[in-house]
Amino acid sequence: MEDAFLVFCGLANKNNSLKLNEVSFIEEICFTEGVNLLVHLGFVLCSLVGLIVIKCRWSFITTFQIDSGLRGWIHFPCHTIRWILAFFYIFISACCLGVGILSQLYTKFDRPFIYIPDAAQLASCLLSIIYYHAAESANAPMFLVLFIFHWPAAFSINVFKIYQLYSQKFINSDLTFLLVCILISIYGFFLILELSIFFKKGYFCPGYSRDIPPLELQDPGKKFHQPYVNILSQITYTWISWLLKSGYQEPIKMEDLGELPQEETALKNFDLLKMYYDQQKENKPSGTAGSRDLGKVYFKAFGGPFLMAAVLKIIGDLAGFGGPLCITGILRFVSAESKESAKGIHFVSFWEFTSNGYVLAFLMLCTVLLQNVCLQISYYIVIRAGIHIKAALQTMIYLKALSLPVWVLSGGHLTVGQIINHMSVDAFQIMMAAFMGYYVIAIPIQIILAVLLLYNQLGYSALIGVSTIVVLIPIQYFISKRFVSIQRRTMEYSDERIKKSNEMLQSIKLLKLYSWEGIFIKAVEVAREKELKYMLKGAVYVVSTLFLTQVTPLIATTLTFSIYSSLSGSPLTADKAFSALALFDKFNTPLHLLPVVVKISVNAVVSTCRLASFFNTEELKRMTESNIASKETGTRGKNGKMSYELVQTEGTDGPDHSSNYNGSLDHPHKQHLDSIINFPNGAKPDESNIDDVELRPKCSIGNVLEIHNGYFAWDSNSDRSVLQDISIQISKSKVTVIIGKVGSGKTTLISAILGEMSTLSGHVMWASANQPLAYSAQTAWLRNASLQDNIVFEESFNEERFQAVIEACALQPDIDVLPAGRLTEIGEKGINLSGGQKQRVSVARALYSRCSVVILDDPLSALDVHVGSRVFHQGIMGMLKKENRTAVFVTHKLEYAEEADYVSKIF
């Protein structure tokens, strides 16, 4: 035993001419390292046994399906911190082994205690992370008790070793002392982590129960497990290996990918973006958000991941500079003379360690790994967040388009082509800016560090070479400025092209009938030629920028090497030349990406301005709103002054709505109106200005809708009202028919009821907030779906109700002649249906809905007399009356007016 100890300490050789105090120190440090070796070997053996037990237990659970619902990726407390600390522990252990091997090389006699314990430490450190992963995957925290014994033992041994080194003055230049101090800190952190897990989980307490995996892991339909796996699997994507194997064997289908997690859905990200956008609008006095405000919204909603990605990107770029520095050291190591070995024990210093070529090669490998890992994680973060922004913006644009009033689209303020561009082009440009945005910070840092390191290597000649890059910056700025204006014009012509293409596709049937294809094709081609003209100009500027980017590093390198010897007075050595080449190569990526980043940034700014203007477009007013305008009520409308009268038909019970409104305020509920209007200083209605009136809108009992003294215009900024002095009441569960001459304003009144028009003055009051409506427009609207889906329209399907609606709308004969019956797919805008069929399908959709209020705008105009009579009697007066639903019915057929509960005539 004593001989083995002497061999382990390197004292068995009789040629050792060491002093007594040196022998004593070697024996002391050797004994400490022997205990350290036993600690790590003991952990290795125990962890191997633990892995076997965990494997057997897992197989037992899988075979007999015992408690299988409690297995899965259960992250123990401080999961991420442990993995990061474990990677750092592996690196420090590898450095300790390298120090031991180098110390042995610089020692004349073999002393195994210098490197064997470090090798065992590296093995135990690798096994510790494997063991932890196995315990975590099996959701068995009780197996972590092994660490509670291992970390204190390793911590104590290294503290004693530090004391021995300190007593022998191995402090200032000895790298071993520094590494042992770091190991003590690592063991201390690991011990704290284990104790925190022990007390939080309480896995040896009587009431302990294991954690249940997240719901998404228990759902077999959710296959996106990236957030739940360990860091190593996230970096290497080993968790997705099952998909790669499946794709190798057979083509991957959409159902193989599983359902989208909740955090990745467009609705989740839209809610986040909309919340911050509304907050930003509330903070603005004008109530609108500009392009800068929209940029702040991006950052508030999704800025956190981008900051993390930017930090990782900077760390990766800094690690990338390790390669050129290591090249210099390796070349110096190759040309240096070998060092003479020492007779006694020798611990290498920091400079001896970092000047060794093999160590530098290992450090270069580590820096490359660190660089690629950081960059890969940062790319994943920004790509994922960029897709979130795009999905949220597209959802927000879509919902905004649905809430636009008719006059915005029909009045030329916006076109369908512009909205399509917003959803496709602008959202894509914002996403690309998210992908490349952090380069705005990373590129200057890379260039500054490269310049500083080049100056350190080559002196003033490097600065002269780099100055060529600075000289070319104004040229690139000029090109970028020109590209901005060209990009704006390109987007304008793109909007025009999409608008014309959309018009052509929407009217393709008419074009074919009149043989107008050539005219519209020429119009689209002219718009496309204008767009291509500016796209070509932009491409010329992009090519010019890329050319300057590629040529600049070559010019700088040639100029620097040419003048180096003249300025420094010394020849250009191999180590300086190769390291300088590597550093000049660092300019390629930032200079290559600079024009791309500028282009993407410019596009993003332009798109943000466009989106900010689009989001500030006026929307439909909510039903619960009552707008009070300060405009004079005597403004003449486009259709002149309008009035109407309500007539209760004979034999109908209900409140008396009979009156004649010819611009006056007299109506059956004048007393009710007087009760909700407070006139200051006792002024009478005809004595008070609209600015002095305080209105308290409230709908009367028994009415669904009331309009009092309404003045309406299509544009809120218009000084001319289209409808004037409108007062109407719609009773609950009654059928109200609106009649009038052609062009008298019946459809306009319906638009005012629906909130499509701007209320200049007066009140539009609904009985309940967010009143659901079923609306059948004068021009039938159908979507590209089956006939059944067009009628059901996302409602729950009920066969009995569906058949009743079909009978009421006389659609059964039409369904019988369709190729696939009610499952026949209807083309865009109902191209394969006649006008009457489309109108009846639109009415059937309104009847099938469960909405308590149904508005039908002249649905009988395109129907034959007998078909229209059936729709009116069985549908409107049948189903709607039977279900006690409120109906507002616009028609020119006066024979149906006498059967309604109320008739409103517009003069």
Side-chain angles (χ1 to χ4, degrees):
M1 189 70 180
E2 184 177 354
D3 294 337
F5 179 75
L6 293 176
V7 172
F8 180 70
C9 297
L11 299 176
N13 195 326
K14 296 181 180 180
N15 294 325
N16 285 338
S17 56
L18 299 174
K19 297 180 182 179
L20 185 60
N21 59 342
E22 292 179 346
V23 174
S24 176
F25 171 70
I26 290 175
E27 289 178 348
E28 291 178 3
I29 198 73
C30 181
F31 177 78
T32 304
E33 292 291 355
V35 177
N36 191 23
L37 175 63
L38 293 177
V39 168
H40 290 298
L41 288 179
F43 176 79
V44 168
L45 294 175
C46 294
S47 60
L48 288 175
V49 174
L51 287 173
I52 295 173
V53 174
I54 293 174
K55 180 66 176 177
C56 294
R57 178 177 175 274
W58 195 315
S59 301
F60 180 79
I61 291 176
T62 305
T63 303
F64 296 96
Q65 297 184 355
I66 299 175
D67 203 21
S68 60
L70 298 180
R71 294 186 293 108
W73 285 294
I74 302 296
H75 287 178
F76 294 155
C78 307
H79 167 86
T80 304
I81 297 176
R82 176 190 283 273
W83 273 91
I84 296 174
L85 196 60
F87 289 140
F88 185 61
Y89 180 32
I90 293 173
F91 175 75
I92 295 299
S93 299
C95 290
C96 289
L97 181 59
V99 169
I101 294 174
L102 284 181
S103 298
Q104 176 59 48
L105 293 175
Y106 291 150
T107 303
K108 188 174 183 180
F109 301 101
D110 185 23
R111 305 193 188 280
F113 77 92
I114 298 178
Y115 56 88
I116 289 181
D118 294 327
Q121 176 179 283
L122 180 61
S124 67
C125 125
L126 293 172
L127 203 56
S128 67
I129 196 65
I130 297 173
Y131 181 79
Y132 171 79
H133 172 66
E136 191 178 49
S137 300
N139 193 12
M142 65 286 299
F143 286 92
L144 300 182
V145 71
L146 179 60
F147 290 117
I148 296 181
F149 295 100
H150 174 65
W151 301 131
F155 178 84
S156 303
I157 293 299
N158 281 274
V159 168
F160 187 69
K161 184 178 179 180
I162 278 289
Y163 171 75
Q164 290 177 331
L165 294 174
Y166 179 80
S167 62
Q168 296 295 326
K169 309 299 182 183
F170 287 96
I171 300 175
N172 297 328
S173 61
D174 183 41
L175 182 59
T176 304
F177 186 86
L178 176 62
L179 292 176
V180 174
C181 290
I182 296 175
L183 283 175
I184 290 174
S185 303
I186 292 174
Y187 292 140
F189 281 122
F190 272 129
L191 181 58
I192 293 173
L193 292 179
E194 296 306 333
L195 293 177
S196 67
I197 295 176
F198 178 80
F199 289 112
K200 286 182 180 179
K201 306 291 285 187
Y203 43 80
F204 282 121
C205 297
Y208 167 71
S209 60
R210 285 183 290 159
D211 294 337
I212 299 177
L215 295 178
E216 291 190 353
L217 291 177
Q218 299 182 41
D219 186 0
K222 301 290 181 64
K223 300 180 180 180
F224 181 76
H225 298 154
Q226 174 81 0
Y228 305 104
V229 298
N230 58 62
I231 294 179
L232 187 62
S233 183
Q234 290 179 352
I235 294 172
T236 58
Y237 294 99
T238 53
W239 65 272
I240 207 173
S241 57
W242 63 270
L243 183 62
L244 302 179
K245 293 178 181 177
S246 176
Y248 176 77
Q249 297 172 356
E250 58 184 12
I252 297 176
K253 302 177 183 178
M254 284 299 297
E255 51 266 23
D256 296 333
L257 302 178
E259 301 176 10
L260 199 63
Q262 182 65 26
E263 295 296 326
E264 309 297 326
T265 58
L267 179 60
K268 177 73 174 180
N269 294 286
F270 162 73
D271 291 338
L272 185 63
L273 182 67
K274 190 67 167 63
M275 178 184 67
Y276 285 106
Y277 180 76
D278 292 340
Q279 291 178 1
Q280 192 69 26
K281 286 179 63 177
E282 292 173 0
N283 295 332
K284 301 292 289 186
S286 60
T288 59
S291 58
R292 292 186 178 181
D293 300 316
L294 189 57
K296 293 178 182 178
V297 171
Y298 297 156
F299 183 79
K300 289 180 180 179
F302 305 99
F306 289 109
L307 290 177
M308 183 184 301
V311 172
L312 291 172
K313 170 65 177 173
I314 292 173
I315 294 174
D317 291 339
L318 293 177
F321 285 98
L325 297 178
C326 291
I327 289 175
T328 304
I330 291 173
L331 292 174
R332 289 176 182 174
F333 173 78
V334 171
S335 60
E337 298 180 357
S338 59
K339 184 178 178 180
E340 184 179 351
S341 300
K343 292 183 179 180
I345 184 172
H346 177 79
F347 293 110
V348 296
S349 64
F350 177 80
W351 299 111
E352 289 175 332
F353 182 76
T354 55
S355 62
N356 185 271
Y358 299 100
V359 173
L360 290 174
F362 170 74
L363 292 178
M364 186 184 295
L365 173 64
C366 293
T367 56
V368 171
L369 288 176
L370 178 62
Q371 178 187 15
N372 285 278
V373 166
C374 291
L375 293 181
Q376 182 270 323
I377 296 176
S378 66
Y379 293 154
Y380 168 77
I381 292 174
V382 297
I383 290 173
R384 181 169 174 260
I387 294 174
H388 289 174
I389 291 180
K390 181 184 177 183
L393 278 175
Q394 287 181 330
T395 306
M396 193 168 174
I397 294 168
Y398 180 75
L399 293 179
K400 179 71 178 183
L402 293 180
S403 63
L404 292 175
V406 174
W407 63 267
V408 173
L409 294 173
S410 60
H413 297 79
L414 274 175
T415 64
V416 176
Q418 287 177 314
I419 296 175
I420 293 174
N421 257 355
H422 289 323
M423 293 191 68
S424 57
V425 179
D426 292 331
F428 177 78
Q429 299 293 358
I430 301 299
M431 181 185 70
M432 291 302 299
F435 290 172
M436 309 292 290
Y438 57 24
Y439 280 103
V440 175
I441 301 173
I443 287 177
I445 293 176
Q446 281 184 289
I447 293 176
I448 291 172
L449 284 178
V451 171
L452 292 177
L453 292 175
L454 277 172
Y455 175 75
N456 183 57
Q457 290 283 342
L458 302 177
Y460 290 105
S461 59
L463 297 180
I464 295 174
V466 173
S467 63
T468 58
I469 301 174
V470 179
V471 170
L472 295 175
I473 288 178
I475 300 177
Q476 291 185 338
Y477 173 77
F478 171 76
I479 294 174
S480 301
K481 188 175 181 181
R482 290 288 302 164
F483 183 75
V484 171
S485 60
I486 291 174
Q487 186 64 22
R488 286 198 179 100
R489 296 297 299 273
T490 303
M491 296 299 292
E492 292 174 2
Y493 287 121
S494 177
D495 291 341
E496 182 182 352
R497 175 183 58 82
I498 294 177
K499 175 185 175 182
K500 292 184 180 298
S501 300
N502 185 67
E503 291 175 352
M504 183 179 67
L505 293 174
Q506 296 294 336
S507 308
I508 191 65
K509 185 176 181 180
L510 186 65
L511 297 184
K512 298 297 290 184
L513 289 174
Y514 286 94
S515 299
W516 287 349
E517 302 97 322
I519 300 175
F520 274 79
I521 288 174
K522 185 176 180 181
V524 174
E525 288 177 346
V526 170
R528 179 60 175 168
E529 287 175 1
K530 294 179 181 179
E531 182 184 9
L532 287 175
K533 177 182 176 181
Y534 280 90
M535 288 179 67
L536 179 61
K537 290 182 179 180
V540 171
Y541 285 111
V542 171
V543 170
S544 302
T545 304
L546 292 176
F547 174 76
L548 291 175
T549 301
Q550 295 294 329
V551 170
T552 300
L554 297 177
I555 297 175
T557 304
T558 304
L559 181 60
T560 301
F561 285 172
S562 300
I563 64 176
Y564 173 76
S565 298
S566 301
L567 292 179
S568 64
S570 59
L572 185 64
T573 57
D575 57 320
K576 290 185 178 181
F578 281 101
S579 62
L581 285 173
L583 289 173
F584 273 116
D585 185 65
K586 293 296 179 181
F587 284 100
N588 285 334
T589 300
L591 292 179
H592 177 74
L593 290 175
L594 183 60
V596 178
V597 172
V598 170
K599 175 186 174 182
I600 290 175
S601 301
V602 168
N603 292 342
V605 171
V606 173
S607 296
T608 300
C609 294
R610 287 160 52 88
L611 288 176
S613 176
F614 174 72
F615 289 144
N616 289 328
T617 306
E618 188 173 351
E619 299 181 3
L620 294 174
K621 302 299 181 183
R622 287 186 174 272
M623 295 177 180
T624 55
E625 292 184 0
S626 179
N627 299 322
I628 306 172
S630 59
K631 301 184 179 180
E632 296 182 0
T633 58
T635 305
R636 299 293 294 178
K638 296 177 182 177
N639 296 331
K641 197 154 187 171
M642 302 188 65
S643 61
Y644 65 91
E645 63 177 353
L646 285 175
V647 180
Q648 183 176 355
T649 57
E650 185 178 355
T652 305
D653 296 332
D656 185 13
H657 289 202
S658 303
S659 62
N660 185 4
Y661 302 105
N662 192 13
S664 68
L665 293 173
D666 296 330
H667 46 75
H669 291 289
K670 185 175 186 297
Q671 182 178 2
H672 168 67
L673 262 188
D674 291 341
S675 67
I676 64 174
I677 300 178
N678 295 329
F679 299 100
N681 303 323
K684 299 297 182 181
D686 54 354
E687 300 172 354
S688 177
N689 187 278
I690 192 71
D691 293 332
D692 302 325
V693 179
E694 179 184 358
L695 299 177
R696 299 174 184 173
K698 183 178 180 182
C699 198
S700 303
I701 299 175
N703 292 333
V704 174
L705 167 69
E706 293 182 8
I707 300 178
H708 296 296
N709 304 330
Y711 284 74
F712 302 95
W714 290 112
D715 191 347
S716 60
N717 298 321
S718 175
D719 294 329
R720 297 176 60 85
S721 58
V722 178
L723 295 178
Q724 298 181 13
D725 200 13
I726 298 298
S727 297
I728 188 172
Q729 300 173 2
I730 305 298
S731 297
K732 185 178 181 181
S733 303
K734 302 296 182 182
V735 176
T736 301
V737 174
I738 299 177
I739 60 176
K741 297 180 180 180
V742 175
S744 60
K746 301 183 295 298
T747 300
T748 307
L749 177 61
I750 296 298
S751 298
I753 292 174
L754 294 174
E756 294 279 357
M757 302 184 70
S758 298
T759 307
L760 302 182
S761 65
H763 301 285
V764 178
M765 296 170 287
W766 289 86
S768 60
N770 299 321
Q771 173 69 51
L773 295 173
Y775 172 57
S776 176
Q778 192 171 15
T779 302
W781 176 86
L782 299 178
R783 61 175 182 169
N784 189 11
S786 66
L787 181 68
Q788 177 177 307
D789 291 339
N790 270 283
I791 295 175
V792 176
F793 202 64
E794 306 301 331
E795 293 272 358
S796 59
F797 181 75
N798 184 289
E799 179 67 30
E800 182 180 354
R801 183 179 182 83
F802 182 82
Q803 289 297 336
V805 170
I806 293 298
E807 292 297 327
C809 295
L811 281 171
Q812 190 59 49
D814 303 287
I815 293 176
D816 293 339
V817 299
L818 291 176
R822 65 187 187 187
L823 299 180
T824 302
E825 184 174 358
I826 306 301
E828 189 68 29
K829 292 190 174 182
I831 194 170
N832 52 343
L833 297 180
S834 66
Q837 289 172 334
K838 288 189 288 186
Q839 194 67 54
R840 280 179 287 148
V841 171
S842 180
V843 173
R845 182 194 302 126
L847 296 180
Y848 186 86
S849 71
R850 269 82 172 177
C851 297
S852 59
V853 178
V854 179
I855 299 177
L856 305 173
D857 188 4
D858 204 5
L860 309 181
S861 59
L863 305 183
D864 296 334
V865 176
H866 67 284
V867 176
S869 176
R870 181 173 178 178
V871 172
F872 180 79
H873 289 96
Q874 295 189 23
I876 299 173
M877 300 302 296
M879 287 191 67
L880 296 182
K881 291 285 289 183
K882 181 180 179 182
E883 296 174 354
N884 293 322
R885 297 162 72 182
T886 304
V888 179
F889 176 58
V890 177
T891 185
H892 288 100
K893 301 180 184 286
L894 300 182
E895 61 269 23
Y896 300 128
E898 63 181 7
E899 300 186 42
D901 297 314
Y902 301 102
V903 177
S904 172
K905 182 178 180 182
I906 298 182
F907 295 99

